[in-house]
Amino acid sequence: QTDFFVVMYRANDWQAARAADGSRYWYSAGLNKFSWAIPEELKTQADKNREAGQWVWMPHPEHGFVPAKKDRSGFTAENGQTLYLKNGSEKPSPLNWLNLTNSENDLVMLENVNPAVILFHIKQRYHTNQIYSYVGPILISCNPYKLLPLYTPAILNDYIKRDNRFLEPHVYAVANQSFRDLVGHGCSQSIVISGESGAGKTECTKQALQFLAEVAESDENIEQMILMANPVLEAFGNAKTVRNNNSSRFGKYLEVFFDQRNCIAGAKTTNYLLEKSRVCFQASGERNYHVFYQLVTGADAEMRRWFRLRDVRNYHYLNQSGCDKVAGVPDKRLFQEELLPSMRQLQFGEDEINSIFRIVAGILLLGNVNFQNTGERKCKVKDSRPVADAASLLEVDSKSLNEVVTKTKLKVIGQAPIVVGLSADQATFARDALAKFTYEKLFDWLVIKVNKVVAPQGQCKHSIGILDIFGFEIFKVNSYEQLCINFTNEKLQQFFNFHTFKQEEKCYREEGINFTKVPYIDNQPVLDLIEQRQKGILPMVDEELIVPKGSDKSLIKKLHDKHGKNKYYKEERKKRLELFTVMHYAGEVTYDSRGFLEKDRDKLNDEAYELLSKSTCKFLAKMFPKNMKRNKQAKKNTLGYRFTRQLNTLMKTLHSTEPHYIRCIKPNPNKSPLQFCGKMSYDQLRNSGVFEAVKIRKAGYPFRYSHKEFFYRFGCTMPEKKGRWGTNYIGNCQTLIRNFGLDTKKIQIGRSKVLYRAPEHRIMEAQRQIAVERIVRYLQRVTRGFLARCLYRRMKAILPVLERALKSRNVETLKAALAKADTVGFEMKATADARWMLHVFEEEERVEKVLQVLIHENPEEVFGELADTLEKCDEIKYNSQIVQEARKLFVEARRIRDEIDADGQKAIESLEVKKLKNVLDRANALKFPHRSPVIERIIELLYKTSKDQFVKMQLKASVKLGNKERVIATTIKLKEISLARTADLFAFRHCKIMIDPEAWAGKKFICFDRKALAQSMRRHTMTPIHAPLTNQWNDPTLKPQAKIIFKNILGYMGDRRYQPGQELLLAQEILASCVQQRELRTETYLQLMKQLTGNMNPESQRKGWDLMLLCTSTFPPTPFVENYIEVFIRQKAPKKMMNKLISTMHHSMYDLKEGGSLSVPSPGDMDKILSGAIRRQSICHGYNTAIAELDEIKKVGIKDVEGAVMLGGAKQHPESKRTTARVPTSSAAAKPSRPKPKPRPKPRNDLPPNWRKAIDPDSGDPYYYNVATKETTWDKPNE
C-alpha cells in the first residue's frame, strides 16, 4: 500500500516551468524526469483520441497546408474534406502535435520544423495580433492592416533594455541588436527590409529609425531632424496603389551615422528609381503622389489664390483613376500639421517652400493642356488658359512653352536644326515628359536638401544603414521599370544567400566538422543574364540606343538570338513577338519590350531643358543648369547604366556591413485586418528564401558556443565535480555531453566551438535550468539564514539595554538606549514601545509643571490652556492627584460652554442672523471668552464672510433636504471666488510640489548647459524629460513610467514623432496609467501645464488642451495641484474650452467623492469628448440666489461690523481704529505702555460692575472690557 501511494505521488507531481529562453517544459521531481510535451499522465482522453493515427501536412490551394489524417481513401482534413496528392508531388511532411501546442518566438526552435509548421505558427500569431516572428536570424513581419499598440514609448523602452530574451519578436529588437552590434563589434551594420508592395516595408523602416533615434539620441536633437524627413519624402515619394495605401514608389537607403559616443551624428539618404511615370498616369484605384492631393485640399485661401488651385477633380493628372481619397488618410491635416511643419523644422526657407509648391501646382496645370490635330504631324493647344497658368507658375514664357510641347527640332550634322511639328499624341507625350522630368528633379533636390540639413558635422567611423526598397513586382504588363526593380531584388537575394547560406557553410568548414551541404537556388546565372557586360539585357538595351535606327523591335530580335538557349530566358513568340520571360528567383516574369529604349534613354529634349533653365524662378532654373553637358557619352547617361552603377555601389556598401534581415509579408490581397491567405503567404516566404534558410539551420548546427563558454554555461549541471575540473576544455565538454546522456555524434566539437541542434539544445537548457534553480534556492536559503542570525544577535544584545533604560525612567538614559537600538537595522516592538515611553516621560514632566500653575488660576481665564493640557494627559494616560484636581475645575467650566455650543450648532444649521448673534454674545460674556469651533464658525459667517460667500454657505441647509447637487455647486462657487482673489499664489511657477529647477537639472548625468535645462523645466520643450517634475513619490518605481507619459504627451501634441494616427492610443495609455496609479495624476497634469507654457506652435497648443480635456474628463487632480490646475485653466485656456475644462474637472472630482469609479474611455468615446458629442452640464447650472434675502444679510453685516467682537473674544480697543474682527496683539503700535512685571489677576468681585478680565491669546497679557459700554483697556479700571 505504501509503494502504491509513492507511485501515485510520483506520477502526479509534474509541474510546468519555463527554460531560460522562455520555452515551456514539464518536470517531475519524484520521477526525476522532464518533458517538452504534455506528459502522458496529464493528457485528457480527448488529447489521446486526437493524436491517434498518422497525421500529415497536406498542401491546400487556399490555406497552403492543413493537418490531415491518413486513411484508406486518402487524407481527411479536420473539417472532413478529403484531400489527394497530385502525381509527382512530394511526400507530405509528418505532423507532430507538439509543434501545434508549443509556440516559439523563433520558429527554428520547433521540433521537426518544416514549411507547413512555419506557416501554421505565423498564421496563429497573426490572428492574435503578434505580427512578428523569428525564423533564425530573420524577422518575419506580417502587415496587420490596422493600428496596433506596438510602438508606444512604454514598449520602446522595454526593448532598449539589454535582456530581451522574454520579449516578443519586434522590429525594435532587430534595431536594438544592430545598435548593440555596432557598439560591441565596432563595425557598421545594415538592416535589409524586403517584401512585396503592401507588405509593410515603409512602416518597418520608420519604426526601426524611431528606435535608433530614441536609443542614441544626441544633444543637438539631430535624430528628430532625421525623423522629420519622413513626412516630406513620403509626401513626394509615396502614393496609394492597389496593394498599399502608402506605397513607396522609390527605393531608399538611409544611412545613420554615429559619433564616438555612439550618439546619432547625422544621416544620408540615397534614392533609387523614382516612378516618375505615376505623375502622368495612374491605374484604376490608384493615386498620384500624396503631395498633389495634400496641396489641393490643405492649402489656405492665400496659397490657393497664388497657385491657382482648384478641386482635385479639375486636374487630369489626378482624376484619371477614379480614386482621389483614401479611407483614414486625412490629406488636409497631413499637409497642415505634418508636411509644412516638417519642412520648416528641416530649415526650408519660406521662399523655397513657396517655390516647391509653385512647381507642384504648375505640374498639375501642365496636365490640363490638351491638343487637337490640325494636319499631318501638326497640332495646336485646345485651350490656351492652362498653358498660360502653367507658364506663370513655372515662370517661363507662355509662347515658348506652347512651342516646346507642340514642336520639336531635328538636328542633322552640318545643317541647321529643322523645326518639325508634333501630332496630338506626340505633343501629349512631350507634355508628360516635361512634367515627369520636372517632378523628378524636384524630388532629387528635396533629398539633397534633407541630406545637407542632417549631414554629420565631423568624422563618423560607423553607421547603421536601413534599406527600404521595392519588392518583386509581377503585373499583367511588366515593362522596363519592373525589370530594374526585379533586378534589384535578385541582387538582394544573392546578398541574402551569401550571408545566410555561404557564411553558414564557411563556419562549418573552419571548425572542421561534418555537415550535410544543403542545396539552394543560386541566382548568379539570372544576374548574369541581366547585367553581364555586352551580353546582359540591360547592356544590350544601352547598346541599342546608340545603334543607327535602333528600335524596340530590333532589340527584342537581338535578345532572342543572344539568349534563346539560356534556360533562364524564354521567348514568347507564340504569344507576341515583343514579349520575353525571365526565370527570376521569385518566379517567372514576362516583360513587354515595347518602350524599353525610350524609358532607358530617360532624357528631356533640348528645347524643354533650355526653357526650364531660363525660368525666372531661380529655384527651378538651378535644377536645370545651362552649362550641363547632356549629349556626350550618351551610353553612360542612360537610366540602365546609372541605375546599375547605383545598385553596385549599394551592394558594395551592404557587403561592408553586418546585415540584419526583416522579411515583410503581405497576408492577403484585400488589405483586410486578421485575414490570412496561407497560399499567398507561403509563396512569399518561399520566394524570399526563408525556407532554404531554415533548411540549412536545421541540417546544420544553429546553436554554438566556444569550448570555454559551453563549459561555463553547463558546468553547473555537475556540482559534484566542482573544484576537480581541469583546464582541458574540450575534455570537460565531452564529459558534460556524456553526463547529459546525449550522443556525442549529434553534438559536434569543432576546433574552437561546440555546435548542436535544437533537440539537444532543449535537453541541455532544461537540465541547466533545473540545476540553476536548485543552486539559487540553496544560495537564497543560506544567505537569508545568515542575515537573520546576524539580526537576531543584534536584537538580542539591545534588549537588556532598553529594559534597563525603561526601569530608570530617566529621559537621557532612554534616549541613549534608543540611539543604540537604531543601529540594529530593524524596528523591534520593544524599540517602538521604548520610543513611546520616552514621549510619555517627557510629557509627564511638562504637564505637571503646567498644571501646578493653572489650578491656582481662575478656570474661566485659563480655560483654553487647561483643556489642551488635560487632553494631553488623556493621551498619555496620566492621572496624578494634580490632574484630578484640574479635571474637576475644568468640568464645571465646560458645562456652560457645552450649552452655548449646542445652541450655536442649531443656529448654524438654520443660519438665522439673530440666533447667531445671540449665541456669540453669550460666548463673549464669559470671563474667558468661549472660542470653540462652533463659535469660530459663527464669527466667520457673520464678519469674515462676504455677501456672496454667506449666501452660498446658507444654501448648505439644503443638505438636510438631501439636495447634494446644490451643496456641490455652492462649494465650487466658493472655490471660484477664492481663486479669483488668490490666483497669483496658485500660479504654475509657484507650485511647491515640483522639484527645484536647478536640482531637477542636476539629475541629468551628462549636460552641457544646466542653466538652460533648468529654465526649460516649466516651459514647453520638444525633447523627453530626464526626470519627473515632482518630488513626492511613495512608489519610486513609477518614476520611469512618468517619463514615458511625457513621451506620450510629446507624441500626442505632435512635438515628437511616433506612428502616425496613433494619437488616441497614446492618450489612452496616459489615461490608463493615471487611472491605475494615483501618484501619476499629479505628474501628468504638471507635465501638460509645462508643455502648454510658452508653446509657440498653435497646433501643438490645440492638441495639448485636447489632451487636458481628456484628462479632466477621466480622472480628478489630486488635492496637491487642483488649485494650480484650475487657475492655470482660467488664465491660459482658450475661451471656448475654459468652461468645458472646468466643468469636466469638477465632475471628475465630485463624482469620485460621491462614490463613483474611474474608467478609461475608448477611442470612440475620446473622439466624442473632443468633438463635443459628450457634454457634461456644469454642476453650478441653474443656481439662483434669492436677491431679497441676500440684500437683507448684507445690510445686517454692514450695520453690526463696527461693534463686532474681536476674534480673540474682546471688544474693540479704544486705541484701535480697525473694524476687522481681530484681537489686540502685543505689538507696540497696538498696546499702551504698562508697568512691568504684569500684575497677577485678582478674583472677579474685585472689579467694578460690568467689567470683565480676559487674556490676549497672542501675547498672554491681561486686558479688561466693559460688557455694557464695550469699552476696552489694558489698565485695570478705576472705581
Side-chain angles (χ1 to χ4, degrees):
Q1 185 176 5
T2 302
D3 292 342
F4 171 77
F5 283 114
V6 169
V7 172
M8 287 298 294
Y9 163 74
R10 290 179 176 177
N12 291 296
D13 73 338
W14 288 95
Q15 292 183 347
R18 292 275 180 185
D21 60 357
S23 305
R24 192 179 185 188
Y25 68 93
W26 282 262
Y27 175 67
S28 170
L31 299 174
N32 194 25
K33 292 183 179 180
F34 74 93
S35 172
W36 293 107
I38 301 177
E40 290 294 329
E41 294 86 347
L42 301 183
K43 287 183 179 179
T44 64
Q45 189 60 42
D47 294 333
K48 295 178 181 179
N49 293 339
R50 186 187 186 195
E51 296 177 11
Q54 183 180 356
W55 288 82
V56 297
W57 288 104
M58 282 294 292
H60 193 276
E62 179 182 353
H63 302 298
F65 294 93
V66 294
K69 187 175 182 180
K70 187 175 182 180
D71 52 29
R72 295 180 180 178
S73 60
F75 297 90
T76 304
E78 290 182 296
N79 61 1
Q81 181 183 5
T82 301
L83 302 172
Y84 301 95
L85 282 175
K86 295 181 180 179
N87 293 333
S89 300
E90 295 183 1
K91 184 179 179 181
S93 302
L95 187 152
N96 183 352
W97 287 101
L98 174 62
N99 283 346
L100 305 189
T101 56
N102 284 354
S103 180
E104 298 286 352
N105 289 338
D106 188 349
L107 303 183
V108 174
M109 294 288 293
L110 295 168
E111 295 287 344
N112 303 320
V113 65
N114 54 56
V117 171
I118 292 175
L119 188 67
F120 172 83
H121 282 285
I122 290 177
K123 178 180 179 180
Q124 293 300 107
R125 293 173 64 85
Y126 181 76
H127 283 154
T128 58
N129 291 329
Q130 295 175 288
I131 63 172
Y132 295 113
S133 304
Y134 291 125
V135 178
I138 307 168
L139 178 71
I140 304 297
S141 171
C142 293
N143 194 337
Y145 293 113
K146 65 178 182 179
L147 281 176
L148 293 175
L150 295 177
Y151 311 106
T152 63
I155 293 177
L156 189 148
N157 189 60
D158 288 338
Y159 284 89
I160 291 178
K161 300 175 183 176
R162 287 186 175 275
D163 189 2
N164 292 330
R165 291 179 302 167
F166 298 107
L167 292 174
E168 289 290 316
H170 202 290
V171 63
Y172 288 164
V174 176
N176 189 24
Q177 189 60 48
S178 68
F179 178 71
R180 300 202 181 282
D181 287 349
L182 177 136
V183 175
H185 300 170
C187 63
S188 295
Q189 308 290 309
S190 61
I191 302 175
V192 181
I193 304 174
S194 59
E196 287 190 3
S197 177
K201 301 187 299 298
T202 300
E203 188 62 29
C204 279
T205 301
K206 288 193 289 187
Q207 296 306 330
L209 183 59
Q210 178 71 54
F211 182 90
L212 294 176
E214 193 72 23
V215 76
E217 59 182 347
S218 63
D219 295 331
E220 296 78 15
N221 217 22
I222 188 67
E223 68 279 354
Q224 288 300 311
M225 302 290 282
I226 298 172
L227 292 174
M228 285 287 182
N230 274 334
V232 177
L233 297 182
E234 282 189 15
F236 286 86
N238 288 26
K240 178 194 180 300
T241 67
V242 292
R243 299 186 177 189
N244 186 2
N245 289 345
N246 188 33
S247 177
S248 295
R249 307 317 298 164
F250 69 103
K252 177 175 68 175
Y253 183 66
L254 175 62
E255 199 167 7
V256 182
F257 297 97
F258 296 82
D259 59 22
Q260 295 179 347
R261 298 177 300 153
N262 296 317
C263 295
I264 292 179
K268 178 184 177 183
T269 299
T270 305
N271 59 305
Y272 302 92
L273 202 65
L274 176 71
E275 185 190 14
K276 56 179 177 286
S277 60
R278 180 169 294 274
V279 174
C280 305
F281 174 77
Q282 309 90 43
S284 177
E286 297 192 352
R287 292 208 315 175
N288 210 323
Y289 289 104
H290 295 324
V291 68
F292 292 110
Y293 306 90
Q294 292 178 8
L295 174 63
V296 171
T297 59
D300 57 27
E302 190 175 19
M303 292 181 72
R304 299 185 70 84
R305 186 176 68 256
W306 284 352
F307 303 144
R308 298 174 171 81
L309 296 176
R310 292 182 288 171
D311 188 79
V312 171
R313 291 167 292 183
N314 293 323
Y315 294 105
H316 173 67
Y317 282 165
L318 304 182
N319 62 16
Q320 318 171 41
S321 65
C323 176
D324 57 12
K325 294 182 180 179
V326 181
V329 179
D331 292 315
K332 181 177 180 180
R333 184 180 67 81
L334 292 175
F335 181 78
Q336 296 175 350
E337 298 180 17
E338 289 199 9
L339 180 56
L340 284 177
S342 296
M343 294 176 81
R344 293 184 176 112
Q345 288 283 342
L346 290 169
Q347 302 172 17
F348 282 67
E350 290 300 322
D351 290 341
E352 291 177 330
I353 294 175
N354 288 333
S355 297
I356 289 170
F357 292 123
R358 173 182 290 275
I359 293 171
V360 172
I363 290 172
L364 287 177
L365 287 172
L366 273 178
N368 290 348
V369 178
N370 295 317
F371 308 92
Q372 67 179 22
N373 288 316
T374 58
E376 186 177 356
R377 290 184 65 95
K378 290 184 179 181
C379 70
K380 70 174 183 179
V381 174
K382 286 184 178 180
D383 183 1
S384 61
R385 175 72 179 274
V387 177
D389 288 344
S392 175
L393 288 175
L394 298 177
E395 298 187 36
V396 297
D397 180 64
S398 176
K399 184 178 179 181
S400 300
L401 178 60
N402 193 330
E403 291 182 357
V404 162
V405 295
T406 58
K407 300 176 182 178
T408 187
K409 292 182 179 179
L410 295 181
K411 295 181 180 180
V412 181
I413 299 176
Q415 298 181 14
I418 303 173
V419 178
V420 179
L422 299 176
S423 66
D425 291 341
Q426 291 172 331
T428 300
F429 181 84
R431 174 203 68 186
D432 291 345
L434 182 62
K436 288 188 295 185
F437 277 88
T438 303
Y439 190 82
E440 182 186 37
K441 289 288 186 180
L442 175 61
F443 186 79
D444 290 341
W445 183 91
L446 287 170
V447 174
I448 294 170
K449 173 69 176 180
V450 169
N451 285 340
K452 286 182 179 178
V453 174
V454 300
Q457 298 301 312
Q459 291 187 350
C460 300
K461 294 183 179 179
H462 305 304
S463 64
I464 296 179
I466 304 176
L467 179 63
D468 171 15
I469 204 161
F470 14 67
F472 271 101
E473 292 188 347
I474 306 176
F475 300 137
K476 289 183 180 179
V477 178
N478 301 285
S479 189
Y480 188 78
E481 295 92 345
Q482 281 69 47
L483 178 64
C484 293
I485 290 171
N486 294 343
F487 171 51
T488 303
N489 282 273
E490 287 285 354
K491 281 278 192 181
L492 292 175
Q493 189 60 47
Q494 185 189 52
F495 177 68
F496 176 75
N497 291 347
F498 176 80
H499 283 278
T500 306
F501 298 97
K502 296 180 181 179
Q503 294 285 51
E504 196 83 8
E505 293 177 357
K506 179 183 177 183
C507 173
Y508 299 149
R509 284 193 292 269
E510 289 176 351
E511 289 297 319
I513 63 173
N514 298 322
F515 71 97
T516 303
K517 187 173 183 180
V518 179
Y520 63 89
I521 302 173
D522 188 353
N523 63 338
Q524 185 60 47
V526 179
L527 292 174
D528 292 339
L529 170 65
I530 297 174
E531 69 170 342
Q532 190 175 19
R533 294 187 64 181
Q534 297 182 350
K535 297 181 180 180
I537 296 173
L538 291 180
M540 289 180 68
V541 175
D542 291 344
E543 189 67 29
E544 196 67 18
L545 284 175
I546 61 176
V547 172
K549 298 183 180 181
S551 66
D552 295 330
K553 291 182 180 180
S554 61
L555 170 66
I556 192 65
K557 185 177 182 305
K558 292 178 181 178
L559 289 177
H560 289 341
D561 293 342
K562 178 70 71 174
H563 303 294
K565 296 182 181 180
N566 191 322
K567 68 177 182 178
Y568 297 100
Y569 180 93
K570 185 166 60 176
E571 301 178 18
E572 299 292 346
R573 295 179 187 270
K574 294 182 180 179
K575 296 180 180 179
R576 289 209 319 257
L577 180 64
E578 62 269 14
L579 301 182
F580 66 94
T581 298
V582 175
M583 312 301 181
H584 285 288
Y585 186 87
E588 297 183 5
V589 182
T590 300
Y591 297 98
D592 189 337
S593 65
R594 290 177 298 180
F596 264 38
L597 295 187
E598 188 60 38
K599 291 177 180 178
D600 187 44
R601 183 177 288 111
D602 193 44
K603 180 182 176 184
L604 187 64
N605 67 62
D606 293 343
E607 293 76 23
Y609 188 95
E610 184 179 359
L611 174 68
L612 295 176
S613 68
K614 293 180 179 179
S615 170
T616 56
C617 174
K618 295 181 180 180
F619 182 85
L620 177 61
K622 287 181 180 179
M623 296 181 189
F624 297 88
K626 296 180 180 179
N627 57 353
M628 182 176 177
K629 297 179 181 179
R630 307 183 65 242
N631 298 320
K632 296 183 179 180
Q633 296 181 328
K635 190 174 180 180
K636 291 187 178 182
N637 284 328
T638 64
L639 176 63
Y641 179 84
R642 297 197 309 270
F643 181 70
T644 302
R645 187 174 58 181
Q646 251 188 331
L647 187 57
N648 289 335
T649 302
L650 171 65
M651 300 314 300
K652 184 178 179 180
T653 302
L654 291 178
H655 277 287
S656 67
T657 66
E658 290 184 0
H660 305 264
Y661 300 100
I662 300 178
R663 294 297 197 193
C664 296
I665 302 299
K666 182 179 181 180
N668 66 77
N670 305 318
K671 296 184 279 191
S672 301
L674 296 180
Q675 182 182 347
F676 190 91
C677 297
K679 184 64 169 64
M680 177 179 177
S681 302
Y682 168 76
D683 290 340
Q684 294 175 66
L685 292 168
R686 181 198 61 203
N687 294 340
S688 62
V690 171
F691 296 142
E692 281 71 20
V694 172
K695 284 181 183 178
I696 194 169
R697 294 281 289 185
K698 298 301 288 187
Y701 302 92
F703 300 94
R704 56 199 71 170
Y705 287 104
S706 68
H707 300 148
K708 189 175 182 179
E709 290 172 342
F710 184 87
F711 167 66
Y712 282 147
R713 182 166 185 80
F714 297 108
C716 60
T717 59
M718 295 183 68
E720 66 276 6
K721 289 203 65 174
K722 183 180 180 181
R724 295 188 288 115
W725 293 101
T727 56
N728 182 4
Y729 290 117
I730 294 180
N732 294 343
C733 293
Q734 292 171 340
T735 302
L736 288 171
I737 293 169
R738 287 193 296 269
N739 182 64
F740 285 127
L742 300 174
D743 188 353
T744 54
K745 295 181 180 179
K746 294 184 178 180
I747 299 182
Q748 297 278 356
I749 300 180
R751 296 188 180 99
S752 63
K753 299 177 182 177
V754 180
L755 302 96
Y756 49 93
R757 299 188 176 97
E760 291 74 30
H761 170 76
R762 286 175 172 270
I763 294 171
M764 293 189 293
E765 284 294 333
Q767 294 195 26
R768 177 184 180 274
Q769 184 71 16
I770 294 169
V772 168
E773 289 177 357
R774 186 185 302 117
I775 294 170
V776 168
R777 284 195 295 269
Y778 172 77
L779 292 174
Q780 288 176 340
R781 183 170 68 250
V782 172
T783 304
R784 288 171 180 165
F786 171 77
L787 295 175
R789 286 189 292 273
C790 292
L791 178 61
Y792 173 74
R793 284 193 292 269
R794 293 196 300 271
M795 293 166 63
K796 188 175 180 181
I798 202 64
L799 281 175
V801 178
L802 291 173
E803 290 173 356
R804 288 193 297 270
L806 287 171
K807 288 179 181 179
S808 71
R809 298 185 68 84
N810 182 280
V811 172
E812 296 302 324
T813 303
L814 189 52
K815 285 183 178 179
L818 285 171
K820 291 182 179 179
D822 289 339
T823 63
V824 171
F826 182 79
E827 183 77 3
M828 299 181 292
K829 184 177 182 300
T831 307
D833 292 344
R835 214 178 295 282
W836 169 251
M837 290 308 300
L838 174 63
H839 171 69
V840 170
F841 294 162
E842 292 175 337
E843 286 299 304
E844 285 178 355
E845 293 181 4
R846 188 185 68 82
V847 299
E848 277 284 338
K849 295 177 182 178
V850 173
L851 290 178
Q852 285 176 0
V853 175
L854 294 181
I855 60 173
H856 299 295
E857 300 284 346
N858 188 332
E860 284 291 339
E861 297 177 355
V862 294
F863 181 83
E865 191 173 357
L866 187 61
D868 292 340
T869 306
L870 289 175
E871 183 180 358
K872 180 59 68 175
C873 291
D874 292 336
E875 180 185 340
I876 63 175
K877 299 179 180 179
Y878 185 57
N879 195 26
S880 65
Q881 184 178 355
I882 195 170
V883 173
Q884 295 173 9
E885 293 177 13
R887 201 177 299 280
K888 291 178 182 179
L889 295 173
F890 177 76
V891 169
E892 179 61 24
R894 179 73 260 180
R895 182 182 60 79
I896 301 173
R897 287 166 168 76
D898 290 342
E899 293 176 358
I900 295 174
D901 280 349
D903 294 341
Q905 186 61 42
K906 293 178 182 178
I908 290 174
E909 291 176 358
S910 65
L911 284 178
E912 295 182 19
V913 178
K914 293 181 180 179
K915 290 183 179 181
L916 293 172
K917 283 289 295 176
N918 180 269
V919 171
L920 189 57
D921 289 343
R922 288 166 57 193
N924 287 329
L926 297 174
K927 271 283 187 178
F928 183 86
H930 182 41
R931 284 298 174 265
S932 68
V934 173
I935 302 303
E936 294 289 350
R937 181 63 175 153
I938 293 174
I939 294 173
E940 180 182 359
L941 286 171
L942 290 176
Y943 304 109
K944 297 178 64 177
T945 306
S946 66
K947 177 185 73 173
D948 292 341
Q949 287 176 319
F950 187 81
V951 172
K952 292 174 179 59
M953 294 305 299
Q954 188 181 37
L955 291 178
K956 284 191 175 180
S958 61
V959 172
K960 293 182 180 180
L961 302 176
N963 194 343
K964 295 182 179 179
E965 292 182 1
R966 201 163 191 184
V967 173
I968 294 173
T970 56
T971 304
I972 292 173
K973 198 65 177 179
L974 277 171
K975 184 176 178 182
E976 178 183 336
I977 296 170
S978 174
L979 291 179
R981 292 194 301 268
T982 60
D984 190 65
L985 293 177
F986 295 103
F988 179 49
R989 65 182 182 276
H990 294 153
C991 187
K992 296 180 180 179
I993 197 173
M994 296 181 71
I995 303 174
D996 178 73
E998 294 183 359
W1000 181 76
K1003 290 178 178 289
K1004 187 164 186 180
F1005 183 68
I1006 298 176
C1007 182
F1008 297 101
D1009 191 349
R1010 295 196 185 276
K1011 183 177 180 181
L1013 183 61
Q1015 292 174 350
S1016 70
M1017 179 183 173
R1018 297 176 191 254
R1019 71 184 185 206
H1020 175 262
T1021 55
M1022 300 183 67
T1023 56
I1025 57 176
H1026 61 279
L1029 304 180
T1030 57
N1031 56 8
Q1032 297 181 5
W1033 293 92
N1034 293 327
D1035 185 2
T1037 60
L1038 295 177
K1039 291 183 179 181
Q1041 195 169 350
K1043 294 190 287 184
I1044 292 174
I1045 285 177
F1046 189 79
K1047 292 180 181 179
N1048 282 344
I1049 292 174
L1050 290 175
Y1052 184 92
M1053 293 176 67
D1055 296 328
R1056 193 172 182 87
R1057 299 198 171 274
Y1058 295 107
Q1059 186 183 19
Q1062 70 164 359
E1063 288 83 357
L1064 291 183
L1065 291 177
L1066 295 176
Q1068 196 171 34
E1069 184 170 303
I1070 295 172
L1071 300 181
S1073 299
C1074 294
V1075 167
Q1076 295 169 6
Q1077 299 292 342
R1078 187 172 182 270
E1079 287 189 68
L1080 292 175
R1081 299 173 194 170
T1082 297
E1083 178 71 22
T1084 300
Y1085 276 115
L1086 291 176
Q1087 289 180 7
L1088 277 172
M1089 292 160 70
K1090 161 184 162 57
Q1091 289 302 97
L1092 288 168
T1093 301
N1095 190 338
M1096 306 305 294
N1097 186 338
E1099 185 58 28
S1100 176
Q1101 279 194 37
R1102 182 187 67 79
K1103 291 184 177 179
W1105 287 115
D1106 285 349
L1107 185 55
M1108 180 73 81
L1109 178 61
L1110 292 176
C1111 290
T1112 57
S1113 301
T1114 305
F1115 58 87
T1118 60
F1120 301 108
V1121 294
E1122 63 180 56
N1123 290 345
Y1124 294 98
I1125 294 171
E1126 184 160 345
V1127 169
F1128 185 86
I1129 291 173
R1130 293 187 183 279
Q1131 293 180 346
K1132 303 289 186 180
K1135 292 183 178 180
K1136 295 182 179 179
M1137 290 194 68
M1138 184 184 74
N1139 291 334
K1140 186 188 295 186
L1141 287 164
I1142 296 295
S1143 176
T1144 54
M1145 185 178 76
H1146 288 161
H1147 269 287
S1148 62
M1149 289 168 58
Y1150 289 98
D1151 286 351
L1152 190 62
K1153 289 181 180 179
E1154 292 297 319
S1157 59
L1158 302 181
S1159 62
V1160 181
S1162 66
D1165 289 340
M1166 286 192 280
D1167 274 331
K1168 292 179 181 179
I1169 291 171
L1170 296 178
S1171 64
I1174 297 180
R1175 294 189 178 183
R1176 308 190 74 174
Q1177 195 176 52
S1178 173
I1179 296 177
C1180 298
H1181 180 75
Y1183 178 72
N1184 188 17
T1185 304
I1187 301 299
E1189 184 182 0
L1190 174 63
D1191 291 340
E1192 182 181 352
I1193 294 172
K1194 182 178 179 181
K1195 291 177 183 178
V1196 172
I1198 292 173
K1199 184 178 72 174
D1200 282 6
V1201 75
E1202 294 292 339
V1205 295
M1206 296 296 174
L1207 189 59
K1211 301 299 179 178
Q1212 189 176 10
H1213 303 308
E1215 298 83 3
S1216 176
K1217 299 300 181 182
R1218 295 173 295 177
T1219 59
T1220 56
R1222 292 185 59 85
V1223 299
T1225 65
S1226 58
S1227 64
K1231 288 193 279 187
S1233 61
R1234 58 192 185 279
K1236 296 204 177 197
K1238 295 185 293 181
R1240 189 173 181 82
K1242 294 183 179 180
R1244 51 196 306 192
N1245 56 7
D1246 291 341
L1247 293 173
N1250 296 328
W1251 282 95
R1252 300 289 187 269
K1253 181 181 178 180
I1255 302 296
D1256 183 355
D1258 290 337
S1259 65
D1261 297 331
Y1263 63 93
Y1264 305 89
Y1265 67 95
N1266 190 303
V1267 296
T1269 64
K1270 300 182 180 179
E1271 181 183 359
T1272 306
T1273 179
W1274 288 109
D1275 301 316
K1276 181 180 177 181
N1278 298 323
E1279 295 289 335

